[in-house]
Amino acid sequence: MFKFFKTCSLTIKFMIVGLSANQTLADTPGLKNAQILNGWQNNNGSHTAAVEINLETGWKTYWHTPGVAGIPPNFSFVGSSNLKDVTFRWPSPILFGDTDVWSIGYKNRLVLPMIVTPKDQKKPVELNLNADIGICDTVCVPAKLSMTATLLPKRTKRQAKIVAALASRPKSKTAVGAKEVTCDFSISEGEVVVSVDLSVPKLGAREVIILSYADPDVLVQNKIAERRGNMLSGSGIIRHTSGTLAAIDRSKIELSVVSEKTAANLGTCVK
């Protein structure tokens, strides 16, 4: 199963440029090129590959949870062959924008590793990737990308770009010195408000607590965090895409802190 995240975003306070069906990468403002890095096959038969997106200097694209002013990415592998599953390994993002219109993502380049599981480990995987992403400078462009690649079995040579991206994952709870995590819940008109208090040293001048919910039919709207000493507080509103939420599973609420410099994964709301 291919797993992605959904978020609620405010209206972007920039001009949105639409692309016609016959436009190419060269016609897309801010986008240099995009490709699939073939990577290598792992001992368990899966492949480690990556999507590489190169942007003009100063342009940015977005994390799986893009913030209130970001454009959420969407990836489709329809048309691929010998493909069982794809799991992305997102590198550490940064926070940008102002207090009211903020977003989370990457500047200039994104190398997004992915673990590709074939149906038959001894045969090549033919990847057909169609992606809808947002790229922004003073203009925001919803870009459509189409890429193909053949992942060959027994390829073992590792690519430096992918290795570096895997090493730049968000820091762990232990690495940033985080301690207590408290989640409080309140229900109002079919929505669940989650208030989060974290005991964590300062990660940057501006910080945001990001709540992600591991269910494609659930939306999360995050708000900017407030700091008092070593305590960082924030909240998120969780709602179902159609109808009322029947229940919330604490173990599916993933918590991250993102600053203008770095990001950290702080686990879930499970006590």
Side-chain angles (χ1 to χ4, degrees):
M1 182 178 74
F2 307 133
K3 174 183 171 186
F4 309 107
F5 295 87
K6 291 184 179 180
T7 61
C8 293
S9 297
L10 298 179
T11 301
I12 300 173
K13 297 182 179 178
F14 302 114
M15 179 176 66
I16 301 294
V17 177
L19 303 180
S20 62
N22 60 355
Q23 280 185 290
T24 65
L25 293 183
D27 301 317
T28 306
L31 182 61
K32 286 184 177 180
N33 55 65
Q35 64 176 331
I36 294 175
L37 302 176
N38 290 341
W40 59 89
Q41 188 171 37
N42 302 302
N43 291 335
N44 64 2
S46 67
H47 295 262
T48 298
V51 179
E52 181 182 26
I53 300 170
N54 289 299
L55 306 174
E56 300 290 347
T57 301
W59 284 72
K60 51 190 177 288
T61 192
Y62 298 102
W63 196 37
H64 60 70
T65 305
V68 298
I71 300 173
N74 183 62
F75 301 90
S76 171
F77 291 90
V78 173
S80 300
S81 61
N82 192 31
L83 178 62
K84 181 179 180 180
D85 184 57
V86 176
T87 302
F88 288 106
R89 296 283 187 260
W90 290 85
S92 185
I94 58 173
L95 173 68
F96 34 74
D98 58 34
T99 302
D100 296 321
V101 186
W102 54 273
S103 52
I104 298 172
Y106 312 88
K107 288 185 178 180
N108 302 329
R109 186 179 73 161
L110 168 63
V111 175
L112 176 56
M114 53 186 176
I115 307 301
V116 178
T117 303
K119 293 179 180 178
D120 187 336
Q121 300 176 4
K122 297 180 180 180
K123 294 182 179 180
V125 178
E126 299 290 344
L127 286 182
N128 183 63
L129 170 59
N130 290 290
D132 292 300
I133 66 169
I135 59 174
C136 279
D137 186 24
T138 54
V139 173
C140 285
V141 182
K144 292 183 177 294
L145 310 177
S146 295
M147 293 168 272
T148 60
T150 301
L151 308 186
L152 298 175
K154 299 183 179 180
R155 177 183 281 153
T156 58
K157 185 177 180 180
R158 301 196 170 202
Q159 291 177 272
K161 289 180 181 179
I162 303 178
V163 172
L166 288 169
S168 69
R169 297 287 303 279
K171 297 177 181 178
S172 69
K173 184 177 179 180
T174 302
V176 297
K179 297 179 181 178
E180 183 181 357
V181 176
T182 303
C183 298
D184 292 321
F185 298 83
S186 61
I187 301 175
S188 176
E189 298 180 354
E191 300 177 342
V192 177
V193 178
V194 185
S195 299
V196 180
D197 292 308
L198 304 174
S199 176
V200 58
K202 197 170 186 179
L203 299 185
R206 295 176 58 232
E207 302 159 301
V208 62
I209 299 174
I210 295 296
L211 286 72
S212 301
Y213 196 81
D215 185 331
D217 295 321
V218 172
L219 302 175
V220 182
Q221 181 178 350
N222 292 284
K223 298 183 178 181
I224 204 74
E226 296 181 358
R227 177 170 286 280
R228 297 182 301 277
N230 260 10
M231 292 300 299
L232 186 66
S233 301
S235 64
I237 300 173
I238 301 177
R239 60 174 65 94
H240 201 274
T241 54
S242 57
T244 301
L245 276 173
I248 287 290
D249 184 345
R250 284 176 173 264
S251 68
K252 290 185 177 181
I253 301 176
E254 300 174 7
L255 304 173
S256 303
V257 176
V258 183
S259 75
E260 293 167 314
K261 296 181 179 180
T262 188
N265 183 349
L266 302 186
T268 70
C269 276
V270 174
K271 293 184 177 181

